[in-house]
Amino acid sequence: MSNAPVDTGRRRFLTWSTIAVGGVGAAFTAVPFIKSWNPSAKAKAAGAPVEVDISKLEPGQLIRVEWRGKPVWVVNRTKATLDALPEHDGKLRDPGSEEPQQPDYAQNGYRSIKPEIFVAVGLCTHLGCSPTYLPDSFGEQVEGVTSGFFCPCHGSKFDMAGRVFQGVPAPLNLVIPPYQFLNDTTIMVGADGKEA
């Protein structure tokens, strides 16, 4: 055994060097691991809001866009369509839209921000099929109602405010997504400016 004096300075240097190298190694290991918790670019894009140009949307016309992998309809409702909405309230399952299928700002008879522009997720609330828009021939499905949405899969029927008729498999009105008007000709689907 040697009785040589202990070099405490060298010991401290080695201890701190080991801690520093270990810390750097831990950081290099942790960064990719923590980054893996973030959603992928594809996942971010799937949930991103979608801008819709409605400048060329004619009265009575419907356009479809995709948001979060779902079809979203934007319909320019005619004055005649809007005037006819209250006439068939007695045939609807939830005419006042009491079920929470729309944001607060669409909790009205038109289920929209602007009466003429209707925005809805185009999926039946029964099993998720996509109903067909019948702008002029919906009377074959519901007597006295000119236009609406008919789901051919199981026969569910919705009016031009996306409200479900009685006696069909769909239990709820169509879902109204969050949306806002950026200007008179552009809608942002998926964002309404009310997020926290």
Side-chain angles (χ1 to χ4, degrees):
M1 270 197 146
S2 168
N3 288 336
V6 175
D7 186 354
T8 56
R10 183 170 185 234
R11 184 175 284 176
R12 246 183 264 133
F13 172 76
L14 289 173
T15 301
W16 285 110
S17 297
T18 303
I19 290 171
V21 169
V24 169
F28 275 112
T29 303
V31 168
F33 177 69
I34 292 171
K35 271 185 138 179
S36 72
W37 295 349
N38 292 330
S40 67
K42 185 177 179 182
K44 286 179 187 175
V50 177
E51 280 191 28
V52 183
D53 179 4
I54 60 169
S55 62
K56 294 183 172 79
L57 186 62
E58 298 291 327
Q61 189 179 16
L62 175 145
I63 56 173
R64 289 173 186 83
V65 296
E66 186 175 323
W67 171 68
R68 291 189 175 176
K70 299 174 187 174
V72 173
W73 300 329
V74 180
V75 184
N76 187 348
R77 296 181 284 200
T78 63
K79 182 175 180 343
T81 298
L82 294 172
D83 292 344
L85 283 175
E87 295 174 5
H88 56 266
D89 281 1
K91 299 177 182 180
L92 300 170
R93 182 170 285 165
D94 182 13
S97 300
E98 301 300 320
E99 293 291 331
Q101 292 292 96
Q102 64 279 320
D104 290 340
Y105 50 82
Q107 181 84 33
N108 54 53
Y110 303 114
R111 297 186 76 220
S112 62
I113 296 171
K114 292 184 178 182
E116 67 279 6
I117 302 297
F118 177 60
V119 180
V121 174
L123 294 176
C124 180
T125 56
H126 177 226
L127 294 176
C129 302
S130 189
T132 303
Y133 174 46
L134 302 175
D136 301 317
S137 59
F138 192 71
E140 298 169 11
Q141 305 302 322
V142 178
E143 189 177 331
V145 182
T146 306
S147 52
F149 305 97
F150 174 67
C151 186
C153 299
H154 301 98
S156 293
K157 301 162 192 165
F158 304 88
D159 75 352
M160 288 303 296
R163 301 175 300 175
V164 67
F165 283 90
Q166 297 172 8
V168 300
L172 301 168
N173 295 339
L174 293 176
V175 172
I176 306 300
Y179 73 98
Q180 64 182 328
F181 281 85
L182 300 180
N183 54 50
D184 288 341
T185 61
T186 310
I187 297 173
M188 177 74 79
V189 175
D192 56 14
K194 302 195 183 318
E195 294 81 16

